[in-house]
Amino acid sequence: MSSRVQQYLLKYAETEAQRILPLIQTRQFKSVLVVPCFNETLQSLERLLQPLNIEDSWLVVLVVNAPNNATSQQLASNHKLLNQLNVDHKTCLSSLISFNQHWLYIVNRSTAPNLIPAKSGVGLARKIGADIACRLIHQGVVRFPWIFSTDMDAVLPADYLEQVIEHPCAPNNCSAFIYNYQHLADAHDLTVSQQLYDIRLRYYVLALRWAGSPYAFHTTGSLLAIHSEAYTKVRGFPCRNAGEDFYCLNKLAKVGKIISLRGQPITINARLSDRVPFGTGPALHSISTLSEPKKDYLYYNPECFDALKKLLSIFKTKKNLTKDYFEKQFEQLPQEVTNALTTLKINQFKKHITQQKLEGDKLKEHFHHWFDGFKTLKLIHYLRDNHFPSLTLNKLQQHRLFQQLTNITANTVLLPAELEKKLASKELQE
């Protein structure tokens, strides 16, 4: 076990990772999958596990959790699931069981006084599971060094494990893989809402890629495989009630490559949900309440990404990148971009360049660490709020820059289902 991993597990890992049942440490597994579980059914668990190859010897770390503001119905749902798995929800904090020919390591954070603080939510649940996985990997209980992470609303592809361990980049400074995905609405009346939301997600990633951002990837917790060494470098998942996947990946991108897989997708059940304050469930609810979703739902103006592209083009120069060159190029940026960067405190970064005497690849690396996925999103929002208002779907499709970055023919207006399919295909081509 490396000193960095040892230090993480000693100082930053959750209590559950410090108190793993001795019984599990006498066994051997090839792979480990972390699944937070809140207000879910036994049928959902069975559906999740069904595609996993028994020969891949999976250990599934199931963190059954509830926030301390959960309703009595939500707690009852959790307790019913635990009881169905022959785990006493009142007294048992962790248990290793065999279920449907797979081994489950169950963590119970669903009974007082062990409920999860509401502000920590799914982030803490995912961190508990990933910390346990990390310890077992570095104890040699789990063979492969990847922490797989998904959710209870997912259906995994048959080659789920192979997509990662057989990837040529797996041994080469890769911090995380992100699986291809597709949403499947669980109700017919949510289909259009799901398509409109998927267009938003895929358009954002494609637009970042077109602009040259190194943060052009999906940030969904159910699609992840994280290298355990990289996981410890970023100190695990942040304990947040939403967005833990975004912030974790934002850090992981700074310690290694993030690779988007192009294999068979994970299918995610697009459903209304109040489990988290933002994400797929709340977004679908918001869209479905619009009087005319196809006309009323708005998307970022492509001009925002064109402005981003002008900024990032500074770092594509073949010349030796120096502070003076950066300053000169910065002065030539459009006023709206410099205004946005001023709000992001670009002057602090300029001071950093001077103090560290950065140039060349080091200057570029430090810039992308400073101007990360979060600052990129803040810049887009500044441009949206102050210069380039969002557009309806029809107007978006008629915009020349959208046509350019998606290769959609001018004067073509696609239905949501057609456009979502085209954007998904475009993602896999690049």
Side-chain angles (χ1 to χ4, degrees):
M1 187 184 302
S2 74
S3 59
R4 177 184 284 109
V5 173
Q6 204 165 15
Q7 183 182 42
Y8 172 79
L9 292 173
L10 183 65
K11 291 187 176 182
Y12 304 107
E14 298 302 317
T15 303
E16 289 82 358
Q18 315 285 2
R19 302 174 181 173
I20 296 176
L21 291 177
L23 175 63
I24 198 174
Q25 299 178 43
T26 64
R27 298 181 179 274
Q28 291 287 312
F29 304 92
K30 287 184 180 178
S31 322
V32 60
L33 173 64
V34 174
V35 187
C37 174
F38 170 46
N39 193 21
E40 300 284 2
T41 65
L42 185 67
Q43 290 72 27
S44 294
L45 179 60
E46 291 171 335
R47 182 187 62 189
L48 174 69
L49 299 180
Q50 190 274 327
L52 293 178
N53 191 334
I54 297 169
E55 294 180 359
D56 290 336
S57 182
W58 285 95
L59 172 67
V60 179
V61 181
L62 186 71
V63 184
V64 183
N65 69 97
N68 54 15
N69 61 357
T71 66
S72 57
Q73 182 276 325
Q74 291 169 331
L75 291 174
S77 176
N78 276 9
H79 298 163
K80 179 181 178 181
L81 175 63
L82 288 167
N83 292 337
Q84 288 173 320
L85 294 171
N86 295 318
V87 176
D88 187 342
H89 74 269
K90 295 180 180 178
T91 60
C92 186
L93 297 180
S94 60
S95 181
L96 179 66
I97 70 166
S98 177
F99 177 76
N100 286 9
Q101 297 183 289
H102 293 289
W103 286 100
L104 305 186
Y105 187 79
I106 299 173
V107 177
N108 176 14
R109 290 294 300 266
S110 189
T111 304
N114 294 311
L115 296 173
I116 282 179
K119 290 184 178 180
S120 300
V122 66
L124 177 54
R126 211 180 291 278
K127 185 175 186 294
I128 289 169
D131 286 354
I132 291 170
C134 185
R135 177 173 288 279
L136 294 176
I137 287 170
H138 290 280
Q139 285 180 336
V141 176
V142 176
R143 174 182 167 190
F144 295 128
W146 296 93
I147 301 169
F148 292 81
S149 167
T150 195
D151 289 313
M152 290 284 285
D153 58 352
V155 177
L156 307 175
D159 61 345
Y160 180 62
L161 177 63
E162 288 77 10
Q163 285 194 44
V164 167
I165 65 170
E166 295 179 3
H167 195 284
C169 293
N172 301 318
N173 192 35
C174 176
S175 62
F177 287 98
I178 301 172
Y179 282 86
N180 182 20
Y181 80 94
Q182 62 181 10
H183 275 124
L184 183 65
D186 70 349
H188 179 72
D189 58 354
L190 285 178
T191 299
V192 172
S193 297
Q194 167 255 308
Q195 291 164 355
L196 294 173
Y197 182 61
D198 270 349
I199 290 169
R200 181 186 183 89
L201 295 178
R202 297 193 187 280
Y203 163 47
Y204 187 71
V205 169
L206 283 170
L208 289 186
R209 195 180 293 173
W210 174 79
S213 171
Y215 296 90
F217 44 75
H218 291 285
T219 55
T220 305
S222 53
L223 307 177
L224 303 180
I226 303 172
H227 197 283
S228 56
E229 291 271 0
Y231 177 81
T232 62
K233 287 180 183 178
V234 302
R235 297 186 182 176
F237 283 102
C239 297
R240 301 169 55 94
N241 62 350
E244 82 290 346
D245 36 19
F246 173 88
Y247 288 100
C248 185
L249 281 165
N250 196 42
K251 291 182 179 180
L252 286 166
K254 301 174 186 180
V255 299
K257 298 175 185 175
I258 304 287
I259 295 178
S260 297
L261 296 168
R262 289 166 167 74
Q264 290 299 307
I266 292 176
T267 300
I268 303 173
N269 186 18
R271 57 185 180 175
L272 299 178
S273 172
D274 58 359
R275 290 171 178 81
V276 292
F278 59 86
T280 302
L284 292 178
H285 179 267
S286 176
I287 296 170
S288 65
T289 58
L290 297 172
S291 57
E292 294 186 80
K294 293 180 185 178
K295 294 182 179 179
D296 297 339
Y297 191 54
L298 299 177
Y299 297 85
Y300 294 126
N301 192 317
E303 298 288 350
C304 296
F305 299 102
D306 189 50
L308 174 64
K309 187 172 187 175
K310 290 172 181 173
L311 167 62
L312 298 179
S313 67
I314 294 175
F315 299 90
K316 294 189 178 297
T317 178
K318 294 181 180 179
K319 299 178 181 179
N320 184 34
L321 190 59
T322 63
K323 177 180 180 295
D324 290 342
Y325 177 84
F326 173 76
E327 291 276 13
K328 183 177 179 182
Q329 295 299 311
F330 180 79
E331 291 171 1
Q332 295 176 14
L333 288 171
Q335 189 64 47
E336 61 268 17
V337 178
T338 56
N339 289 346
L341 289 171
T342 299
T343 67
L344 296 176
K345 301 181 180 179
I346 185 68
N347 288 334
Q348 290 184 4
F349 177 71
K350 291 179 179 179
K351 185 177 180 180
H352 174 73
I353 295 174
T354 302
Q355 291 174 338
Q356 299 295 319
K357 299 179 181 178
L358 298 173
E359 61 179 33
D361 289 342
K362 277 294 181 183
L363 197 162
K364 180 179 179 180
E365 177 187 339
H366 281 240
F367 175 79
H368 285 306
H369 284 192
W370 175 78
F371 189 70
D372 57 12
F374 182 54
K375 280 192 172 67
T376 297
L377 182 61
K378 291 182 75 172
L379 179 133
I380 297 297
H381 283 183
Y382 176 91
L383 294 171
R384 175 199 64 188
D385 297 340
N386 295 279
H387 298 281
F388 306 119
S390 295
L391 303 175
T392 63
L393 186 58
N394 275 358
K395 288 186 177 179
L396 176 68
Q397 292 190 68
Q398 294 166 16
H399 198 291
R400 61 177 181 81
L401 291 175
F402 183 78
Q403 293 166 359
Q404 182 180 336
L405 69 90
T406 59
N407 293 335
I408 291 177
T409 307
N411 302 319
T412 300
V413 177
L414 301 177
L415 295 173
E418 297 171 319
L419 180 58
E420 193 279 328
K421 186 176 181 180
K422 187 171 183 65
L423 296 183
S425 177
K426 174 74 173 172
E427 268 190 58
L428 299 180
Q429 291 170 7
E430 297 191 358

